Amino acid sequence: MESSDLRVFQMVAREGSITKAAARLGYVQSNVTARVQQLESELG
């Protein structure tokens, strides 16, 4: 788990949407989705 992944997760939670979080972070939506899925995988 990397701190950048937690930052992405935090932004998704704050924005309430992966699409909005991606736009705010300047990432593509698929990247944000992949990072959240990776966190879910690591944490169970």
Side-chain angles (χ1 to χ4, degrees):
M1 175 181 347
E2 296 182 24
S3 62
S4 60
D5 293 337
L6 293 175
R7 188 170 65 96
V8 168
F9 180 81
Q10 180 183 28
M11 187 61 70
V12 171
R14 182 178 295 149
E15 293 295 324
S17 160
I18 287 179
T19 303
K20 289 179 184 178
R24 182 116 173 174
L25 292 165
Y27 295 160
V28 294
Q29 182 179 348
S30 60
N31 187 354
V32 173
T33 300
R35 286 174 166 225
V36 170
Q37 287 175 337
Q38 183 178 355
L39 274 175
E40 289 175 342
S41 227
E42 288 180 20
L43 299 175

